[in-house]
């Protein structure tokens, strides 16, 4: 043997270990005796350190190795190729499109030697978990197993029948080579994933075995017959172009734990070809003894006596167990060996025992010839190697066999810890849904605690003084791991890094562990888009009606329903009978709704009597022009007009809703009493308008209105008007005057003051609305709009804006087009007959557009949080660069008495029912202590914990 060469290698290795040790004592003093800060209790710790010293494996930037994490196919290819010193720059080899650039040279090197293939002609399965049987297959191919190898070798594992056919011979060979073993019950678990510590230990054993292992494998394969023990040859460049596919049906089609695709996430240099690190710990599985369990005490097996005259043996292997640097164990320590014949272990028969002699030797002079420790003072420090050689002489038939091994020296074994002492923690929750699809009340983090042996600690065994804290630099979670700021959850496929601190004073445990959550798509809640189309006067044509509906159907599909809101001036005209006929056909064909359109009644009319006359005229003339067969002269204002249509044949054509600019409670009550209409949509955000005075109640949510004031949600059944109000144009919640130089937060697609000819700003706002992070906690998510289709056709820029808006409306959202009464029915089915549990929250940013009218401005540097329920409305704003959010509106819906709407009000009346920072009455009034507490409670309810300025 080349002793000098071996000694030189040991010196290089010791120097490497010294460098690692020096690094550790300066960077991680808690783990100063290990190269990585989390392998102290790994059964493969020594193998990990030895392989790291050679540069074959690497860890994370935080100094961890994460031994219990699963390893992917491309990661294993990197370790495999590095250990065997294989790399490739052969561009003729098929390049798989799913292999990361840093792993490609290693994958190609193994591909060239027919050690590994892909799962298809373009996919390697790079990020799939490596299975135990596939690891055996790769090494077996390296040792000489080919597709032509005779499948006569069957392993001894209890679950041998679970091993796939293509892997049977490979597992048998790896077992015979003593490179893999099963668990304590001798189960191999062939299709389970391999962990980093398991993979490293197997690679370490093969590295130590060197060429001797290949020779032994050749003899074992030769024992199968048919001359199959041929070592794989490097394929030529031309042959490498042939596409081969891995015949491994057990490769899961699920990716490995949202694996880090490239090393750059954990390494300062994105171009470094160093081997990758493994992703966050996947869901724990029942503990399984890994591929290489702890070495057992050496025993020279003794078979029953063989009285044959000749003793046949062709190989000897030193059973080099580790040497613990513990003096009290030295007297009983014994080197041992195993003899083989054609790959099968044999023992010295009694008849031949005197004809077989053996001697051990080592370069450091530690052992005597019988393998006992003779000079313990020569044993080197822990983590060193002792090169051991032996010679076996067989007298008959005469032959001399030799073997070599590297015996690793370990430090003194610490006393065993109780099984409930926590040594590591992992998240058992690996993903979190994007905010728009997440129910924050139902989501929680779960954890798995492991002891020093990597075993899961049952919840009942955890210490009673266990303290667990979560540190999240993004502010999404509080220290208890609960969601604090729902809106801060990043986009799908983002990774949220966390630090978990575990403390138990009774166990003396205090450590911090890294964790990650991957943001994934979730199940979106249904969203609705209520559309009310205005029909006024004689200008609207049949073609315009058809085109308006067709545009929506072309984009949203035929299963839409809209409201056709008709004004008195439209139903009065006999010339509009074709248009009425078309609307009724849509009612029959699609289930559309008929509605009443009335505008600005309080500003232009003296009172309710005029309203009543207008409504009587509407129904009388609607029946006259749409259903002339029911017409009876002189019945206007008579209940018989409604009753004549309240039949099975005509009931579906009755008006179902009111579309209006502003309304009073008396008006909606009259409609409910006479026409059974309980749905109202307000053009101007359900503003109250009288004598030029505007009160902006404008809740974004649908709500049952108060019987005395339609801009206030009812607080119970006693004050419930029985009518559901909806804010129209929720793409444009209100014309807010609360923020300086910002009056229009969002833009209506048909705003006459917009000069653009596309709908980019409106679509920008809609996208935010559809992706609203709070939609899972909202009672109903909806947008709504009132369209004047005649104005569309006759205003130079309205038609192209609306068409652009519809055609580019996001199609990947669950949005249903409904009418006004349809939306009311949806709300009622969810909320019931009261507002007790109704809520709505929306966060959005301005579009950056300023219209031709200076007061309509939507600054892009402003964000808004609008939240309300039956008790209050709260609006916050924050300009980019501000440290805190500002409260720009607090509306108390519970104030008593509720001001009853009147027709004769002046500029000093609080018609908007706003306290606090009312833009018109008290623009700078401070919030009271009770109001501040209510704001804080509401923000906590919606998982918003950012800093707010309450002054």
């Amino acid at each position: 043997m080349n002793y000098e060469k071996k000694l030189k290698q040991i010196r290089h290795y010791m120097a490497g270990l010294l460098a690692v040790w020096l690094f550790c004592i300066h960077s991680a003093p808690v783990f100063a005796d290990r190269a990585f800060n989390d392998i102290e209790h790994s059964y493969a710790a020594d193998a990990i350190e030895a392989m790291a010293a050679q540069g074959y494996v690497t860890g994370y930037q935080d100094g961890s190795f994460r031994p219990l994490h699963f390893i992917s196919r491309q990661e294993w290819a990197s370790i495999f190729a590095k250990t065997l010193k294989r790399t490739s720059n052969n561009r003729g080899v098929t390049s798989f499109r799913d292999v990361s650039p840093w792993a490609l040279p290693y994958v190609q090197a193994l591909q060239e030697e027919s050690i590994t293939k892909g799962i298809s002609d373009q996919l390697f399965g790079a990020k799939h978990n490596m299975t135990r049987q596939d690891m055996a297959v790769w090494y077996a191919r390296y040792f000489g197993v080919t597709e032509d190898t005779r499948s006569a070798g069957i392993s001894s594992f209890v679950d041998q029948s679970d091993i796939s056919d293509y892997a049977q011979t490979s597992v048998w060979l790896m077992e015979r080579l003593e490179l893999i073993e099963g668990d304590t019950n001798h189960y191999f678990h062939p299709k389970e994933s391999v962990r980093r510590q398991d993979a490293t230990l197997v690679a370490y054993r093969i590295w130590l075995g060197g060429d001797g292992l290949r020779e032994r494998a050749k003899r074992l394969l030769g024992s199968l017959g048919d001359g199959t023990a041929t070592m794989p040859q490097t394929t030529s460049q031309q042959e490498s172009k042939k596409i081969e596919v891995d015949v491994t049906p057990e490769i899961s089609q699920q990716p490995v734990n949202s694996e880090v695709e490239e090393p750059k996430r954990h390494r300062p240099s994105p171009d470094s070809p160093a081997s990758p690190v493994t992703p966050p710990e996947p869901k724990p599985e029942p503990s399984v003894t890994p591929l290489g369990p702890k070495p057992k005490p050496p025993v020279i097996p003794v078979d029953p006596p063989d009285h044959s005259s000749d003793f046949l043996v062709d190989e000897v292997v030193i059973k080099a167990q580790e040497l613990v640097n513990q003096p009290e164990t030295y007297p009983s320590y014994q080197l041992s060996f195993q003899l083989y014949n054609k790959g099968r272990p044999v023992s010295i028969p009694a008849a031949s025992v005197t004809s077989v002699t053996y001697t051990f030797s080592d370069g450091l002079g530690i052992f005597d010839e019988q393998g006992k420790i003779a000079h313990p003072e020569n044993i080197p420090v822990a983590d060193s190697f002792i090169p051991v050689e032996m010679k076996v002489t067989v007298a008959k038939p005469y032959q001399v066999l030799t073997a070599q091994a590297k015996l690793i020296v370990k430090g003194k074994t610490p006393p065993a810890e109780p099984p409930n002492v926590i040594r590591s923690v992992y998240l058992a929750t690996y993903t979190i849904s994007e905010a728009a699809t997440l129910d924050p009340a139902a989501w929680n983090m779960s954890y798995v605690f492991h002891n020093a042996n990597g075993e899961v600690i049952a919840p009942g065994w955890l210490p009673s003084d266990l303290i667990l804290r979560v540190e999240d630099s993004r502010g999404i979670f509080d220290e208890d791991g609960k969601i604090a700021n729902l809106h801060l959850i990043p986009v799908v496929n983002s990774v949220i890094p966390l630090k978990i601190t575990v403390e138990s004073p009774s166990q003396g445990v205090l450590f911090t562990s890294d964790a990650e959550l991957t943001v994934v798509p979730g199940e979106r809640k249904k969203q609705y888009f209520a559309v009310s189309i205005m029909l006024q006067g004689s200008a609207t044509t049949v073609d315009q009606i058809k085109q308006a509906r067709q545009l929506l159907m072309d984009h949203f599909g035929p299963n839409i329903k809209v409201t056709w809101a008709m004004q008195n001036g439209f139903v009065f005209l006999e010339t509009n009978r074709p248009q009425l006929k078309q609307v009724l056909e849509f009612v029959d064909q699609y289930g559309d709704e008929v509605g009443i359109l009335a505008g600005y009644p309080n500003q232009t009319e003296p009172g309710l009597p005029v309203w009543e006359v207008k409504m009587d005229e509407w129904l009388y003339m609607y029946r006259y022009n749409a259903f002339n067969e029911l017409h009876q002269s002189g019945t206007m204002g008579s209940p018989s007009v409604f009753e004549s249509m309240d039949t099975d044949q005509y009931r579906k054509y009755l008006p179902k809703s009111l579309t209006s600019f502003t309304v009073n409670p008396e008006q909606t009550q009259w409609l409910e009493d006479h026409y059974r209409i309980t749905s109202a949509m307000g053009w101007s955000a359900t503003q109250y308008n009288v004598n030029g005075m505007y009160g902006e109640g404008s809740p974004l949510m649908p709500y049952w209105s108060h019987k005395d004031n339609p801009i206030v949600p009812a607080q119970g059944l006693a004050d419930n008007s029985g009518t559901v109000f909806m804010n129209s144009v929720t793409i444009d919640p209100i014309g807010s005057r609360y923020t300086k130089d910002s009056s229009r937060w969002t833009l209506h697609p048909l705003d006459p003051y917009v000069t653009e000819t596309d709908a980019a700003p409106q679509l920008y706002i809609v996208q935010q609305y559809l992706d609203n992070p709070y939609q899972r906690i909202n009672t109903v998510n909806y947008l709504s709009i009132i369209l004047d289709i005649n104005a569309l056709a006759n205003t130079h820029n309205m038609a192209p804006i609306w068409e652009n808006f519809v055609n580019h409306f996001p199609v990947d959202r669950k949005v249903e087009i409904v009418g006004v009464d349809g939306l009311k029915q949806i709300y009622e089915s969810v909320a019931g007959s009261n507002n007790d549990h109704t809520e709505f929250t929306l966060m959005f940013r301005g579009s950056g557009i300023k219209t031709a009218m200076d007061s309509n401005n939507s600054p892009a540097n402003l964000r808004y949080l609008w939240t309300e329920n039956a008790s209050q409305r709260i609006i916050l704003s924050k300009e980019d660069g501000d440290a805190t959010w500002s409260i720009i509106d607090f509306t108390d819906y519970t104030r008593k008495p509720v001001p009853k709407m009147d027709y004769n009000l002046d500029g000093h009346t609080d018609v908007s029912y706003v306290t606090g920072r009312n833009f018109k009455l008290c623009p700078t009034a401070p919030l009271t202590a009770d109001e501040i507490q209510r704001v804080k409670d509401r923000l906590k309810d919606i998982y918003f914990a950012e800093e707010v300025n309450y002054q």
Side-chain angles (χ1 to χ4, degrees):
M1 301 301 298
N2 191 341
Y3 170 74
E4 293 298 331
K5 182 177 180 181
K6 290 283 184 180
L7 192 59
K8 185 177 181 181
Q9 289 177 343
I10 292 173
R11 292 194 185 102
H12 282 304
Y13 174 64
M14 292 298 295
L17 283 181
L18 180 61
V20 171
W21 177 74
L22 289 173
F23 171 81
C24 289
I25 64 174
H26 287 289
S27 61
V30 176
F31 302 97
D33 58 339
R34 289 294 184 191
F36 301 105
N37 59 27
D38 59 348
I39 65 171
E40 177 66 19
H41 303 289
S42 169
Y43 78 95
D46 298 310
I48 293 169
E49 290 198 319
M51 296 292 279
Q54 298 295 320
Y56 298 154
V57 297
T58 57
Y60 286 78
Q61 277 189 324
D62 62 0
S64 66
F65 183 74
R66 305 189 183 181
L68 297 179
H69 285 190
F70 294 145
I71 193 164
S72 69
R73 281 168 59 87
Q74 71 176 5
E75 288 180 323
W76 178 234
S78 170
I79 295 176
F80 191 113
K82 286 180 179 179
T83 304
L84 303 178
K85 296 180 172 56
R86 304 295 206 275
T87 56
S88 173
N89 294 314
N90 188 352
R91 297 185 179 180
V93 176
T94 303
S95 293
F96 298 108
R97 57 183 174 86
D98 61 337
V99 177
S100 301
W102 56 263
L104 194 57
Y106 307 112
V107 172
Q108 287 182 338
L110 301 184
Q111 186 185 3
E112 289 174 14
E113 297 192 29
S114 300
I115 291 172
T116 182
K117 307 169 186 176
I119 62 174
S120 71
D121 59 349
Q122 293 186 353
L123 298 177
F124 178 65
K127 297 182 177 64
H128 296 162
N129 284 349
M130 194 72 191
T131 64
R132 293 164 65 87
Q133 68 177 9
D134 288 347
M135 176 179 286
V137 168
W138 284 25
Y139 268 125
R141 288 173 180 163
Y142 164 70
F143 287 133
V145 172
T146 68
E147 294 178 6
D148 297 326
T149 301
R150 184 163 157 249
S151 300
I154 301 298
S155 65
S156 64
F157 295 117
V158 177
D159 55 350
Q160 176 272 330
S161 60
D162 294 338
I163 301 172
S164 301
D165 290 343
Y166 73 89
Q168 288 282 0
T169 300
S170 300
V171 173
W172 167 82
L173 177 63
M174 292 289 282
E175 182 189 19
R176 292 292 182 174
L177 293 173
E178 298 179 317
L179 296 173
I180 58 173
E181 295 184 24
D183 61 15
T184 54
N185 296 316
H186 205 51
Y187 281 83
F188 180 59
H189 305 284
K191 296 170 186 175
E192 290 189 2
S193 299
V194 180
R195 300 184 186 274
R196 284 171 63 86
Q197 64 179 3
D198 307 343
T200 304
L201 182 59
V202 174
Y204 168 72
R205 287 174 170 172
I206 292 174
W207 172 63
L208 285 181
D211 291 338
L213 270 178
R214 300 192 79 185
E215 289 300 321
R216 187 174 163 209
K218 183 176 180 180
R219 288 193 296 272
L220 283 170
L221 291 174
S223 69
L224 295 178
D226 297 334
T228 56
T230 56
M231 305 307 291
Q233 300 297 318
T234 302
T235 59
S236 67
Q237 182 169 341
Q238 182 176 0
E239 291 171 337
S240 67
K241 295 180 180 179
K242 180 181 178 181
I243 302 300
E244 294 187 276
V245 178
D246 233 340
V247 286
T248 52
E250 285 72 33
I251 294 177
S252 169
Q253 295 306 309
Q254 296 297 322
V256 53
N257 306 324
S258 308
E259 178 183 28
V260 178
E261 186 166 344
E262 297 186 3
K264 63 183 180 183
R265 182 173 293 172
H266 297 288
R267 300 190 172 281
S269 173
D271 299 324
S272 172
S275 59
V277 293
T278 306
E281 175 69 10
K283 188 173 183 179
E285 300 176 357
S287 180
V288 176
T289 303
L291 292 171
K294 294 181 180 179
K296 304 173 184 177
V299 176
I300 301 176
V302 178
D303 289 348
D306 184 349
H307 301 289
S308 61
S309 59
D310 290 341
F311 175 52
L312 300 179
V313 62
D314 59 14
E315 182 185 11
V316 62
V317 174
I318 298 174
K319 305 287 287 187
Q321 60 178 340
E322 62 189 22
L323 174 59
V324 179
N325 204 336
Q326 197 165 343
E328 58 267 27
T329 66
Y330 295 163
S332 61
Y333 191 87
Q334 172 68 60
L335 292 176
S336 61
F337 63 93
Q338 175 67 61
L339 298 172
Y340 293 87
N341 182 40
K342 294 183 179 180
R344 297 183 181 277
V346 295
S347 298
I348 304 173
S352 303
V353 69
T354 58
S355 64
V356 178
T357 59
Y358 66 90
T359 59
F360 285 98
S361 63
D362 68 280
L364 302 181
I366 298 170
F367 298 99
D368 61 19
E369 289 187 346
Q370 300 305 307
K372 299 289 289 184
I373 296 177
H375 298 284
E377 68 275 10
N378 294 341
I379 296 175
V381 297
D383 300 321
S384 302
F385 288 119
I386 304 173
V388 178
E389 299 182 8
M390 77 168 303
K391 182 171 67 173
V392 176
T393 303
V394 180
K396 184 181 180 181
Y398 179 78
Q399 61 186 129
V400 176
L401 304 174
T402 59
Q404 303 83 34
K406 296 177 182 177
L407 178 61
I408 190 169
V409 180
K410 291 196 65 174
K412 185 175 181 179
T413 304
E417 283 187 343
N420 70 326
V421 175
I422 301 171
R423 289 304 174 192
S424 61
V425 64
Y426 299 96
L427 277 183
T429 307
Y430 325 118
T431 63
I432 185 170
S433 296
E434 58 182 326
T437 64
L438 180 67
D439 179 0
W443 189 89
N444 66 290
M445 288 187 191
S446 56
Y447 310 90
V448 175
F449 300 91
H450 288 190
N451 60 21
N453 295 323
E455 300 165 336
V456 176
I457 303 174
W461 286 88
L462 293 172
S464 59
D465 61 351
L466 175 63
I467 301 171
L468 189 144
R469 294 184 296 275
V470 174
E471 180 183 337
D472 171 25
S473 60
R474 301 191 182 196
I476 300 169
F477 303 98
D478 62 19
E479 68 172 12
D480 294 326
K482 297 180 180 178
I483 295 175
N485 285 297
L486 177 65
H487 70 286
L488 293 180
I489 296 176
V491 297
V492 171
N493 294 328
S494 299
V495 173
I496 304 172
L498 304 171
K499 287 188 178 297
I500 304 173
T501 299
V502 178
E503 183 177 0
S504 170
S506 64
Q507 291 187 349
V509 168
L510 175 60
F511 64 89
T512 299
S513 179
D514 289 329
E516 290 180 343
L517 287 171
T518 300
V519 183
V520 298
E523 183 66 24
R524 286 183 175 268
K525 196 173 183 179
K526 193 69 171 288
Q527 300 184 85
Y528 302 93
F529 190 0
V531 177
S532 180
I533 300 178
M534 301 167 56
L535 302 177
Q536 305 179 79
S538 60
T540 306
T541 67
V542 172
D543 285 342
Q544 289 173 354
I545 292 173
K546 289 182 178 179
Q547 291 168 6
R549 200 178 201 289
Q550 190 64 48
L551 177 63
L552 292 170
M553 287 195 298
D554 288 344
H555 188 77
F556 294 100
N559 298 322
I560 66 170
K561 295 177 174 63
V562 300
T563 291
W564 300 95
M566 297 180 282
Q567 195 182 37
N568 277 37
F570 181 83
V571 299
F572 261 64
L573 300 177
E574 291 187 33
T575 55
N576 283 341
R577 286 186 176 183
Q579 289 88 320
L580 278 170
K581 181 181 178 182
Q582 183 60 67
V583 169
L584 300 182
E585 287 180 1
F586 286 156
V587 173
D588 290 334
Q589 186 175 1
Y590 301 110
D592 285 357
E593 303 171 7
V594 173
I596 297 175
L597 174 67
Y600 294 117
N602 295 342
Q603 192 172 18
T604 58
E605 306 295 341
L608 185 63
V610 175
W611 166 267
E612 295 174 350
V613 171
K614 291 179 67 173
M615 293 301 99
D616 285 339
E617 291 175 345
W618 190 99
L619 192 63
Y620 181 80
M621 294 306 298
Y622 169 62
R623 185 184 70 169
Y624 173 74
N625 284 312
F627 310 103
N628 192 256
E629 67 274 15
L630 299 178
H631 175 64
Q632 295 180 14
S633 298
T635 58
M636 189 180 74
S638 168
S640 64
V641 180
F642 183 83
E643 292 168 356
S644 67
M645 297 182 63
D646 191 19
T647 65
D648 292 342
Q649 182 178 356
Y650 295 101
R651 189 173 294 116
K652 62 181 175 181
Y653 305 115
L654 283 170
K656 300 292 193 301
S657 62
L658 170 67
T659 296
S660 179
F661 294 93
T662 55
V663 292
N664 273 338
E666 297 94 338
Q667 298 162 353
T668 56
Q669 187 62 52
W670 191 93
L671 288 174
E672 182 178 0
D673 292 342
H674 292 79
Y675 296 163
R676 294 203 291 269
I677 291 176
T678 57
S679 308
M681 179 181 287
W683 176 284
S684 299
T686 61
Q687 289 180 350
Y688 176 70
N689 174 275
V690 59
N691 297 334
M693 183 86 175
Y694 291 85
E696 298 177 1
S698 62
L700 289 183
M701 62 185 183
Y703 63 99
W704 296 96
S705 67
H706 195 283
K707 64 182 180 63
D708 292 329
N709 191 328
I711 67 174
V712 177
Q715 300 301 303
L717 293 177
D719 58 17
N720 193 332
S721 70
T723 298
V724 171
F725 269 76
M726 290 150 276
N727 175 35
S728 73
V729 197
T730 53
I731 306 164
D732 180 9
I734 61 172
S736 169
R737 302 172 181 82
Y738 300 142
T739 303
K740 183 180 178 182
D741 298 328
S742 172
S743 64
R744 184 65 63 92
W745 296 355
T746 58
L747 296 173
H748 188 296
L750 305 183
D751 193 323
Y753 298 104
V754 176
T755 58
E756 285 74 14
T757 56
D758 65 54
Q762 293 89 345
L763 289 166
Y764 170 74
I765 295 298
V766 166
Q767 187 69 54
Q768 294 182 85
Y769 200 102
L770 296 177
D771 292 334
N772 175 24
Y774 296 96
Q775 60 186 260
R776 287 294 298 184
I777 64 177
N778 291 341
T779 305
V780 175
N781 292 288
Y782 83 105
L783 302 96
S784 57
I785 194 167
I786 301 173
L787 297 172
D788 183 344
I789 58 175
N790 182 257
L792 279 178
N794 295 288
T795 305
H796 76 285
N797 65 328
M798 281 190 178
I801 289 178
W802 175 242
E803 185 174 350
N804 184 269
F805 178 83
V806 172
N807 288 334
H808 291 87
F809 194 97
V811 295
D812 58 341
R813 300 293 185 263
K814 293 183 177 179
V815 178
E816 182 178 342
I817 305 295
V818 296
V820 176
D821 191 62
L823 184 58
K824 175 254 179 180
Q825 293 178 42
I826 291 165
Y827 171 72
E828 187 176 13
S829 69
V830 176
S833 58
N834 59 68
N835 299 316
D836 291 353
H837 303 293
T838 299
E839 59 180 312
F840 190 96
T841 302
L842 173 66
M843 177 174 282
F844 63 101
R845 179 184 288 275
S847 63
I849 296 297
K850 185 173 183 179
T851 67
M853 186 173 72
D854 289 342
S855 62
N856 286 351
N857 185 24
S858 178
N861 67 336
L862 278 176
R863 281 186 295 161
Y864 301 93
L865 174 68
W866 180 313
T867 181
E868 58 184 289
N869 55 18
S871 301
Q872 67 249 322
R873 176 184 70 189
I874 300 165
I875 306 176
L876 309 182
S877 72
K878 185 177 183 181
E879 187 172 347
D880 291 346
D882 287 349
T884 61
W885 290 77
S886 299
I887 302 174
I888 60 175
D889 176 56
F890 175 83
T891 302
D892 184 0
Y893 295 138
T894 66
R895 280 180 58 203
K896 294 181 179 180
V898 173
K900 187 172 182 179
M901 286 299 183
D902 197 355
Y903 294 103
N904 299 301
L905 299 176
D906 57 32
H908 299 290
T909 303
D910 184 5
V911 295
S912 54
Y913 207 68
V914 176
T915 61
R917 304 191 177 207
N918 180 304
F919 76 92
K920 188 179 288 291
L921 301 178
C922 305
T924 60
L927 296 176
T928 66
D930 176 67
E931 290 170 342
I932 290 174
Q933 188 59 49
R934 285 176 63 176
V935 172
K936 289 181 177 180
D937 292 343
R938 177 60 185 163
L939 294 180
K940 184 178 180 180
D941 288 343
I942 64 170
Y943 304 92
F944 182 90
E946 292 197 57
E947 190 172 350
V948 176
N949 181 8
Y950 291 97
Q951 300 302 319

